[in-house]
C-alpha cells in the first residue's frame, strides 16, 4: 500500500510530481525566497500574519533553503529530510513513495504494553535497529520506544538537542529506512513509540528566532534554552501537526512527550492531545505517555494513557543502592513506605512538599487511577546517563536484590519499561554524549562538570576532570550496551526476562483492564506485600523483599493457599517467612 501523507501548514508539500508548495512562518522578515540548488531563488509571497508561500516547479529530491532579507540561508524548520546535518539543505520528500507491507496494522491496546527504550544510534541506525526487533519480540517486548530522532547537530547525541522536529536524523538513515523499521516491527506484532521534545530546541542549528522571535517567550525560560510560546496559534499548530505527522506518515503507535512540566500553559497539552487523537483513524490504537515532574494526575484521567513514574524509580533506586544524594534525598526517609505508596497509588508525591525542590509542593492525588496509568522502570536513559559515570544498577546493586526488583517490576500491574541492555545484565555505562565543536563543546564539557561539583565525591577538581567528556567519540562508543565484553551471565538475565514476561503475558496482561489496587503492608525494611483486584475479579498478590534479611509474615495476614505462580527463591515458606532479596507472586481466581 502506498504511503500516507499528513496535511501540513508548514514546510515543503509535494502537490504533484513536479510541483511543490513551500510555506514558512517568518513574521520578522520582510522578504523570503526559496533558494534551490542550481536555480535562481524564487520569491515567496508574503501573506497576512507573517506567512510566506511559493509554488515551485520541482519534485521529490529537490534540495532547498530559505533565503532571508540579509541573504542568510536557513533550513526549513519543518524539513522532512536533511542533506547532511542541520546546516545542510532541506530536501523535498514524497511521503507516498514508501509502500507499506503492514498497512492494515491497527496497533495494540495499552494494557498489553511492555516498553523497551533504545537509542537508535547505538543500535546501528534505523536499519540496525530493525535487525534487533525479532529478538525483542521473542523476549516478550510488545513496544519499542525510540529516543528522540529529530535532526540534531553532529552525528552523536541523546536526541534531546534536536532542532528540526520533522526531519529524522540523517546519520540514522533515510525517512524510508525509518518507515521500514516501523513496518518490520508491525509485522512482528510490535508497537513503536517515539520520544518527542516540544519544550525547547537544542543550542546549535536553530534559526527560528532569527525570523520568528515570537516563537519563543521572553518572560520565561527552561533549563535547556528559550521557552516555546504555545500561546501563539502558529506555534501551537507547528507542534500539533508534528505529532499528527509522526502518527500518520510514519505510522508510529504512540508518542512519549518529554518534560512537559516545562510547557506552559498546561492546558495546551490536553488541547494538543485531543486534536491529534481526532486525526487518528477509527479503530487504531494510539497511545500518549508523559514525562511530567509536576505529577499532574488530572492529565491521566482521559487524554493521556500514562506517565513515566520517576517517584517509583527513585525509591527503588534508594532501596537497591542506599544512595541518597540529589533528588534521591526526597526518598531516603521511610523508603519502604514510599515504595508501598508507589505500588498502590502511583505517585509518591501527591501534593506533599519536596525538600529537594526547596519545599515546593508537588503532585496531585493519584490513588483513583488505574495502575496502568504509570510506567514503571528500574532504569532509563535519564536515570543512568545523568550520573557522572553512567553506571547501571548491575554495578551498583546486589544482584539478587536487583533480580527481585525486576520480578516486582515485570509482574506488577503497572506498565513496565526496560532500558536497552537491562535484559542482558549489561555492565557497560550509558553516558551523556554530544557532537559539538569549538566553544560550544567546551561549554557543554565544563557545564557537565559543574553539575556535579556540589556532590561530595566530586568536590575535588581532579575528580571532576575524570568525568567522561560528552564530545569524545569514545564516550559514545563506551555507551553501547551490546559491545564487548558481554556480561558473563548474559544468558541468565535473558532467561529471567523471558520467563517473567511470559508469565506477565499468560497470567496478568489480559486481566489488566479495570484493575485496581486493594491494599498493602510494609513487612519490614525493604519488604512489602501488595494486593490488586484485577479486571476479571482475580486477586493478584505480590510479596517483595529487596532487603538483606528474612522477613516474617504476620499471622493475621491471609495469603492465598495455593503455590505462587512465581517464586524468586526456594527453601522457605513465603506464607510465613519471606527470604531476603526475593519476590513471590500469586493469583487467586475470582470467586
Amino acid at each position: 500500500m502506498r504511503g500516507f501523507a499528513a496535511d501540513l501548514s508548514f514546510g515543503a508539500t509535494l502537490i504533484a510530481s513536479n510541483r511543490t508548495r513551500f510555506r514558512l512562518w517568518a513574521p520578522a522578515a520582510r522578504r523570503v525566497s526559496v533558494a534551490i540548488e542550481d536555480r535562481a531563488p524564487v520569491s515567496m509571497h508574503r501573506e497576512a500574519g507573517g506567512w510566506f508561500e511559493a509554488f515551485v516547479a520541482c519534485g521529490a529530491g529537490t534540495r532547498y533553503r530559505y533565503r532571508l532579507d540579509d541573504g542568510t540561508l536557513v533550513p526549513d524548520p519543518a524539513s522532512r529530510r536533511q542533506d547532511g546535518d542541520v546546516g545542510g539543505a532541506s530536501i523535498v520528500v514524497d511521503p507516498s513513495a514508501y509502500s507499506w507491507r503492514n498497512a492494515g496494522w491497527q496497533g495494540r491496546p495499552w494494557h498489553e504494553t511492555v516498553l523497551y527504550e533504545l537509542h537508535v544510534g547505538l543500535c546501528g541506525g534505523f536499519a540496525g535497529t530493525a535487525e534487533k526487533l525479532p529478538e525483542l519480540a521473542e523476549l516478550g517486548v510488545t513496544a519499542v520506544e525510540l529516543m528522540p530522532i529529530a535532526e540534531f547537530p553532529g552525528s552523536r547525541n541523546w536526541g534531546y538537542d534536536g532542532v528540526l522536529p520533522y526531519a529524522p536524523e540523517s546519520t540514522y538513515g533515510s525517512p524510508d529506512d525509518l518507515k521500514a523499521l516501523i513496518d518490520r516491527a508491525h509485522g512482528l506484532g510490535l508497537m513503536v513509540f517515539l520520544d518527542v521534545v516540544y519544550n525547547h530546541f537544542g543550542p546549535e542549528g536553530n534559526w527560528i528566532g532569527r525570523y520568528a522571535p515570537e516563537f519563543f517567550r521572553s518572560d520565561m525560560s527552561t533549563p535547556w534554552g528559550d521557552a516555546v510560546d504555545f500561546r501563539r496559534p502558529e506555534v501551537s499548530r507547528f507542534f500539533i501537526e508534528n505529532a499528527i505527522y509522526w502518527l500518520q506518515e510514519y505510522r508510529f503507535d504512540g508518542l512519549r512527550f518529554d518534560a512537559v512540566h516545562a510547557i506552559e500553559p498546561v492546558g495546551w497539552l490536553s488541547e494538543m492531545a485531543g486534536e491529534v487523537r481526532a486525526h487518528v483513524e477509527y479503530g487504531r490504537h494510539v497511545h500518549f505517555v508523559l514525562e511530567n515532574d509536576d505529577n499532574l494526575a488530572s492529565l491521566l484521567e482521559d487524554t493521556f494513557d500514562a506517565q513515566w513514574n520517576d517517584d517509583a524509580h527513585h525509591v527503588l533506586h534508594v532501596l537497591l543502592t542506599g544512595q541518597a544524594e540529589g533528588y534521591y534525598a526526597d526518598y531516603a526517609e521511610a523508603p519502604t513506605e514510599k515504595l508501598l505508596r508507589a505500588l498502590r497509588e502511583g505517585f509518591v508525591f501527591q501534593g506533599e512538599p519536596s525538600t529537594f525542590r526547596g519545599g515546593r509542593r508537588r503532585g496531585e492525588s493519584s490513588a483513583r487511577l488505574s495502575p496502568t496509568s504509570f510506567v514503571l522502570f528500574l532504569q532509563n536513559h535519564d536515570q543512568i546517563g545523568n550520573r557522572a559515570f553512567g553506571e547501571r544498577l548491575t554495578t551498583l546493586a546486589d544482584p539478587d536484590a536487583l533480580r527481585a526488583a525486576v520480578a516486582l517490576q515485570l509482574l506488577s500491574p503497572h506498565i513496565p519499561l526496560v532500558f536497552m541492555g537491562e535484559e542482558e545484565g549489561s555492565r557497560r555505562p550509558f553516558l551523556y554524549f554530544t557532537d559539538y565543536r569549538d566553544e560550544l563543546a567546551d561549554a557543554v564539557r565544563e557545564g557537565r562538570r559543574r553539575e556535579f561539583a556540589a556532590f561530595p565525591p566530586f568536590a575535588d577538581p581532579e575528580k571532576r576532570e575524570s568525568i567522561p567528556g560528552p564530545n569524545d567519540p569514545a564516550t559514545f562508543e563506551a555507551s553501547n550496551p551490546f559491545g564487548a565484553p558481554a556480561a558473563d551471565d548474559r544468558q541468565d538475565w535473558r532467561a529471567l526476562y523471558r520467563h517473567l514476561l511470559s508469565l506477565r503475558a499468560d497470567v496478568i496482561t489480559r486481566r489488566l483492564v479495570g484493575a485496581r489496587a486493594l491494599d498493602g503492608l510494609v513487612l519490614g525494611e525493604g519488604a512489602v506485600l501488595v494486593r490488586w483486584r484485577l479486571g476479571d475479579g482475580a486477586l493478584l498478590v505480590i510479596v517483595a523483599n529487596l532487603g538483606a534479611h528474612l522477613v516474617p509474615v504476620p499471622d493475621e495476614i491471609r495469603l492465598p493457599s495455593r503455590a505462587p505462580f512465581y517464586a524468586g527463591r526456594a527453601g522457605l515458606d513465603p506464607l510465613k517467612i519471606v527470604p531476603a532479596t526475593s519476590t513471590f507472586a500469586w493469583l487467586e481466581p475470582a470467586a
Side-chain angles (χ1 to χ4, degrees):
M1 179 176 178
R2 298 281 288 176
F4 307 86
D7 183 16
L8 303 181
S9 305
F10 301 79
T13 300
L14 193 68
I15 57 177
S17 61
N18 193 38
R19 187 168 175 79
T20 301
R21 183 194 70 190
F22 296 89
R23 279 177 59 82
L24 176 72
W25 185 58
R30 291 173 299 162
R31 295 180 302 276
V32 179
S33 58
V34 183
I36 297 174
E37 290 184 355
D38 302 323
R39 296 195 198 181
V42 177
S43 295
M44 303 181 75
H45 174 66
R46 197 178 203 282
E47 301 178 341
W51 286 95
F52 288 82
E53 184 177 70
F55 291 84
V56 182
C58 64
T62 300
R63 283 147 174 81
Y64 69 98
R65 293 179 176 89
Y66 294 121
R67 184 184 295 275
L68 305 180
D69 309 78
D70 61 0
T72 301
L73 294 171
V74 299
D76 188 341
S79 169
R80 279 177 162 97
R81 185 180 183 183
Q82 283 297 103
D83 184 10
D85 209 350
V86 294
S90 302
I91 303 176
V92 177
V93 169
D94 179 2
S96 67
Y98 181 82
S99 182
W100 290 85
R101 301 188 306 274
N102 297 286
W105 168 262
Q106 293 292 295
R108 301 178 67 151
W110 174 246
H111 68 275
E112 295 182 2
T113 304
V114 175
L115 286 161
Y116 185 92
E117 186 191 20
L118 61 82
H119 185 276
V120 172
L122 288 172
C123 291
F126 298 135
T129 301
E131 291 302 312
K132 293 185 180 296
L133 297 178
E135 67 182 44
L136 293 178
E138 187 271 338
L139 188 71
V141 167
T142 65
V144 175
E145 180 175 312
L146 311 184
M147 289 175 64
I149 59 170
E151 189 79 49
F152 52 74
S155 61
R156 305 179 304 276
N157 198 287
W158 274 15
Y160 299 90
D161 292 335
V163 293
L164 298 175
Y166 288 77
E169 170 58 30
S170 53
T171 61
Y172 294 168
S174 69
D176 282 0
D177 291 334
L178 174 56
K179 291 175 181 178
L181 184 165
I182 297 168
D183 207 2
R184 186 171 189 186
H186 291 168
L188 293 166
L190 293 170
M191 296 182 284
V192 186
F193 287 62
L194 179 63
D195 195 342
V196 293
V197 183
Y198 291 167
N199 51 67
H200 76 288
F201 290 84
E204 180 183 322
N206 174 29
W207 293 88
I208 294 177
R210 183 79 169 264
Y211 52 81
E214 297 91 334
F215 206 96
F216 303 98
R217 296 182 63 152
S218 59
D219 60 338
M220 65 176 287
S221 62
T222 76
W224 316 285
D226 294 337
V228 175
D229 193 351
F230 292 94
R231 300 169 301 180
R232 297 281 316 200
E234 297 86 357
V235 177
S236 174
R237 193 85 238 136
F238 184 83
F239 290 105
I240 288 174
E241 290 187 3
N242 182 257
I244 294 170
Y245 161 79
W246 290 120
L247 296 174
Q248 286 190 344
E249 286 195 13
Y250 286 89
R251 313 303 287 170
F252 277 100
D253 300 280
L255 301 174
R256 182 260 192 190
F257 298 92
D258 178 69
V260 300
H261 48 269
I263 289 177
E264 289 189 11
V266 174
W268 180 83
L269 293 167
S270 295
E271 173 193 339
M272 175 272 298
E275 182 168 347
V276 175
R277 286 194 186 279
H279 281 79
V280 175
E281 56 267 37
Y282 179 78
R284 183 178 167 205
H285 295 285
V286 166
H287 310 297
F288 296 159
V289 181
L290 297 174
E291 180 197 20
N292 188 357
D293 194 57
D294 291 336
N295 282 3
L296 299 182
S298 52
L299 289 174
L300 306 178
E301 291 183 305
D302 47 25
T303 313
F304 294 91
D305 295 273
Q307 177 176 316
W308 277 27
N309 195 348
D310 282 335
D311 279 358
H313 166 271
H314 295 349
V315 71
L316 281 164
H317 187 92
V318 168
L319 287 166
L320 289 169
T321 69
Q323 295 175 344
E325 304 93 11
Y327 46 69
Y328 293 129
D330 273 345
Y331 305 85
E333 183 179 351
T336 309
E337 287 77 2
K338 288 181 170 65
L339 173 62
L340 179 61
R341 189 179 207 197
L343 292 171
R344 289 183 56 193
E345 302 180 22
F347 298 139
V348 172
F349 281 86
Q350 301 180 34
E352 293 80 6
S354 162
T355 301
F356 175 72
R357 293 164 180 79
R360 177 172 66 86
R361 292 188 178 274
R362 171 174 169 249
E364 298 174 342
S365 174
S366 59
R368 65 189 181 280
L369 298 174
S370 165
T372 60
S373 297
F374 305 95
V375 175
L376 180 60
F377 46 87
L378 299 177
Q379 300 176 91
N380 63 31
H381 72 273
D382 267 335
Q383 306 307 335
I384 306 173
N386 284 337
R387 300 178 62 83
F389 296 103
E391 306 99 324
R392 291 173 176 264
L393 285 175
T394 44
T395 68
L396 299 172
D398 174 83
D400 290 330
L402 181 55
R403 289 182 174 88
V406 170
L408 172 63
Q409 175 203 13
L410 300 185
L411 297 179
S412 84
H414 298 229
I415 298 297
L417 178 143
V418 178
F419 184 64
M420 62 176 190
E422 280 189 89
E423 79 285 5
E424 298 193 351
S426 176
R427 290 165 176 78
R428 293 171 65 90
F430 181 75
L431 298 160
Y432 178 66
F433 48 80
T434 54
D435 187 16
Y436 293 128
R437 300 285 188 271
D438 304 322
E439 292 87 356
L440 182 55
D442 294 338
V444 169
R445 182 186 64 251
E446 294 308 312
R448 179 77 171 164
R449 290 170 178 170
R450 282 195 302 273
E451 282 182 36
F452 296 100
F455 291 82
F458 300 100
D460 182 352
E462 289 189 8
K463 183 69 171 177
R464 293 200 296 275
E465 289 291 322
S466 67
I467 296 174
N471 296 289
D472 186 343
T475 300
F476 173 79
E477 296 299 333
S479 300
N480 185 350
F482 309 112
D488 294 338
D489 52 358
R490 173 178 178 270
Q491 293 304 327
D492 292 339
W493 278 104
R494 288 191 66 84
L496 175 66
Y497 272 85
R498 187 182 298 107
H499 177 54
L500 289 167
L501 290 176
S502 176
L503 286 175
R504 181 180 184 89
D506 293 344
V507 179
I508 298 170
T509 299
R510 67 180 183 276
R511 297 181 166 98
L512 285 178
V513 176
R516 289 290 184 271
L518 284 182
D519 52 27
L521 182 71
V522 170
L523 299 176
E525 185 177 350
V528 295
L529 179 153
V530 193
R531 303 195 304 173
W532 294 269
R533 181 69 68 188
L534 302 183
D536 65 349
L539 184 69
L540 173 64
V541 182
I542 295 182
V543 172
N545 180 6
L546 307 183
H549 304 288
L550 300 174
V551 174
V553 178
D555 293 338
E556 63 270 20
I557 299 299
R558 185 180 173 195
L559 292 177
S561 57
R562 64 190 64 239
F565 68 84
Y566 177 76
R569 280 290 180 89
L572 290 174
D573 181 358
L575 297 175
K576 298 179 180 178
I577 298 178
V578 185
T581 59
S582 63
T583 293
F584 298 84
W586 294 263
L587 188 75
E588 189 77 30

